[in-house]
Amino acid sequence: MTMNSSRAGRREWAGLAVLALPTVLLALDLSVLHLAVPHLSADLAPSGTELLWILDVYGFMIAGFLVTMGWVGDRIGRRRLLMIGAAAFGLASALAAYSTGPAMLIVSRALLGVAGATLMPSTLALLGTMFKDPRQRAMAVGVWMTSFMGGSAIGPLVGGVLLERFWWGSAFLIGVPVMALLLVAAPLLLPEQRDPQPGGIDVVSVALSLAALLPVVYGLKELAKDGPAPLALAALGAGTLFGAWFVRRQRTLAVPLVDLRLFGERGFTAALVIMLLALVTTGGGFMMVAQYLQLVAGLSALEAGVWLLPATLLTIAGSLLAPKLAGRMPMGRLIGAGLALAAVGYLLLALVDGSPVTAVAGMAIAFFGVAPMMVLGTDLVMGSAPPEKAGAASALSETSGELGIALGVALLGSVGTAVYRALVIVPDGVPGEAAAAARDTLPAALATATELPEGPGAVLLESAHAAFTTGLNVIGVVSAVIALGLAALARTAFRARDTTPAEPLRR
């Protein structure tokens, strides 16, 4: 069966396996570094600020460059961009592995982020090119989503094994052979496609997109760490202003960086909005549960990763099951039912009172319920865009996901922190600075408790654990309300899609 056939054949499905390689690696690279932090800190001795940039700059660069790289792929070819990005990712991985100081590692991580931004929209856009049959495309998107979740799941496990046997740089070297394999297989199994009428490069639009997205992501991360500090609010304000300028400019260009006509399709816009808000709940909930397992239940990072495997496995199951169920029931009903189920999972988080089993079960059910929206919503976004705009559409889908997770960590994290600060009780006699730190965060309270006599230390420890758990309970309720609202919105927004497949917007 040829690439031009309406249904994909063996070559396309083999190509899907090739596209899974960078998807797994990108997800793995997001999670594996956190385990390596103690090791690289001992070796490179970064300052607190340098360590934060080592952890965060990768995500900043990916989020900031997704839109630009989706546009570039539409113009130079998605396979070509994928191969350029793979080569750059492999080289940056080696550079990071052998970094001799914090500054070198920060630069390496930034280069990894830019390279990663070329990979995600390229892989998703190529799926739309290779799988033209709607049902096959939905299944391919499900496999793509499964690859990402699988990478997230094995990240702590792979990282733990490597760090037990090798130095911290080995966590980065995983990318070198994977990208080498992609460079060999891509020309054989992946098609090339680009916009036949690409137009010129609007450098101002590229600059505005970066000026909008980078400050917004930075502001959200700072908001999550320090609350509504002036710098975080200023970054969010600046990003919003540049974003408004960016949108205004796109309306005046004959060949815009982002074709705003795509948002005229109700299903396209609804899918992006619902995916963003759904990831607010999963991002914030996952962050709080991961901290709960380690800081309240007392598990190590590796043990917490193992406990969270059910959530990942159920997400994979939901991602693979959704395309099959979509052929048997209306899309709006399926997504709505999934989000309603997610609300049930979040309500379990509201019942957590000391048992990690309840927390893990709640996140697993929530992730399973959100999976149909992520798979079918991504497929709808890809199906709504014309082939020449596939890169831009996939970049918008990925950007929506990145912003959703960042928003979830910032906003729901702030809710949990506010509840903790309102409820934690610091015993009398604790020195002023230590007491203030203990009231601020749970890790600081745990550190302070170890320095106190047994009686006051136990009181502080119990109070801090209870306050954090209550914060998790409140986040569960908030997330359940959001999920129920999204379920109702999905039933309405996708009603027109219940019997009609996505039709791409034509020029």
Side-chain angles (χ1 to χ4, degrees):
M1 188 170 288
T2 66
M3 287 289 181
N4 293 324
S5 173
S6 61
R7 288 184 61 81
R10 294 179 182 177
R11 183 178 177 186
E12 287 81 8
W13 290 108
L16 176 60
V18 175
L19 294 178
L21 292 174
T23 307
V24 170
L25 183 62
L26 283 173
L28 189 149
D29 211 56
L30 283 168
S31 58
V32 72
L33 180 64
H34 291 277
L35 287 178
V37 164
H39 304 267
L40 69 87
S41 295
D43 189 18
L44 303 181
S47 66
T49 301
E50 288 172 332
L51 183 59
L52 288 176
W53 277 107
I54 289 170
L55 292 171
D56 290 342
V57 72
Y58 178 74
F60 287 164
M61 294 297 104
I62 287 182
F65 279 89
L66 276 172
V67 171
T68 298
M69 292 305 176
W71 182 86
V72 171
D74 286 341
R75 275 140 186 80
I76 72 171
R78 290 117 195 187
R79 186 181 69 186
R80 177 181 295 180
L81 182 63
L82 179 67
M83 295 179 68
I84 292 172
F89 198 95
L91 292 173
S93 296
L95 189 65
Y98 293 101
S99 293
T100 56
M104 183 177 176
L105 184 54
I106 291 170
V107 172
S108 302
R109 290 280 290 170
L111 293 175
L112 279 170
V114 176
T118 70
L119 301 176
M120 294 301 282
S122 297
T123 56
L124 194 52
L126 283 168
L127 289 184
T129 299
M130 296 160 60
F131 297 92
K132 296 181 175 64
D133 178 79
R135 291 190 179 184
Q136 287 189 323
R137 187 180 63 231
M139 180 58 68
V141 171
V143 172
W144 180 85
M145 193 75 66
T146 296
S147 301
F148 189 84
M149 293 306 302
S152 300
I154 66 174
L157 304 180
V158 171
V161 171
L162 288 174
L163 293 170
E164 284 183 1
R165 292 169 171 77
F166 307 103
W167 95 114
W168 60 265
S170 63
F172 292 106
L173 287 180
I174 303 170
V176 177
V178 172
M179 292 307 174
L181 179 59
L182 188 151
L183 288 171
V184 172
L188 302 175
L189 296 172
L190 301 180
E192 182 61 285
Q193 189 177 40
R194 60 177 64 86
D195 189 339
Q197 298 177 329
I201 299 176
D202 184 45
V203 178
V204 175
S205 290
V206 173
L208 287 175
S209 72
L210 296 177
L213 288 171
L214 289 175
V216 166
V217 175
Y218 174 79
L220 289 173
K221 286 183 176 290
E222 289 298 304
L223 193 66
K225 289 190 293 233
D226 302 323
L231 182 60
L233 296 177
L236 290 172
T240 301
L241 289 176
F242 280 116
W245 186 2
F246 173 82
V247 170
R248 183 177 180 181
R249 183 172 181 82
Q250 302 316 293
R251 296 183 184 277
T252 66
L253 296 175
V255 184
L257 186 65
V258 173
D259 191 346
L260 299 180
R261 293 178 302 164
L262 291 171
F263 292 92
E265 213 288 326
R266 188 176 72 167
F268 180 93
T269 305
L272 289 179
V273 170
I274 295 175
M275 284 194 294
L276 184 147
L277 294 177
L279 286 173
V280 166
T281 64
T282 58
F286 188 85
M287 179 266 297
M288 288 294 291
V289 169
Q291 291 187 57
Y292 172 85
L293 292 176
Q294 296 177 72
L295 301 177
V296 178
L299 303 178
S300 68
L302 183 57
E303 290 170 335
V306 173
W307 270 79
L308 288 168
L309 276 177
T312 303
L313 294 176
L314 277 180
T315 306
I316 292 173
S319 299
L320 296 177
L321 188 61
K324 297 181 179 180
L325 291 177
R328 301 179 182 179
M329 63 186 301
M331 177 179 171
R333 189 181 303 170
L334 173 58
I335 292 175
L339 291 170
L341 179 62
V344 174
Y346 291 130
L347 287 176
L348 282 180
L349 298 185
L351 301 177
V352 173
D353 61 357
S355 170
V357 175
T358 306
V360 170
M363 284 310 301
I365 293 171
F367 274 39
F368 182 75
V370 169
M373 177 62 236
M374 301 310 300
V375 173
L376 300 179
T378 300
D379 177 58
L380 190 153
V381 168
M382 297 305 301
S384 297
E388 65 270 15
K389 300 296 182 185
S394 61
L396 288 173
S397 176
E398 289 298 315
T399 302
S400 175
E402 290 286 338
L403 291 178
I405 293 173
L407 273 170
V409 171
L411 299 182
L412 295 187
S414 297
V415 170
T417 299
V419 173
Y420 170 84
R421 290 171 179 170
L423 297 180
V424 67
I425 299 174
V426 179
D428 294 334
V430 178
E433 290 187 6
R439 293 189 186 97
D440 192 44
T441 66
L442 176 58
L446 300 183
T448 301
T450 61
E451 299 174 358
L452 297 176
E454 183 176 350
V459 171
L460 175 59
L461 193 63
E462 182 179 359
S463 174
H465 282 169
F468 187 89
T469 302
T470 302
L472 175 61
N473 299 154
V474 172
I475 284 176
V477 173
V478 173
S479 298
V481 171
I482 295 174
L484 286 175
L486 294 178
L489 177 59
R491 289 293 301 269
T492 302
F494 300 135
R495 186 171 296 152
R497 297 290 184 183
D498 287 347
T499 57
T500 305
E503 290 293 338
L505 173 70
R506 299 296 177 183
R507 280 181 158 179

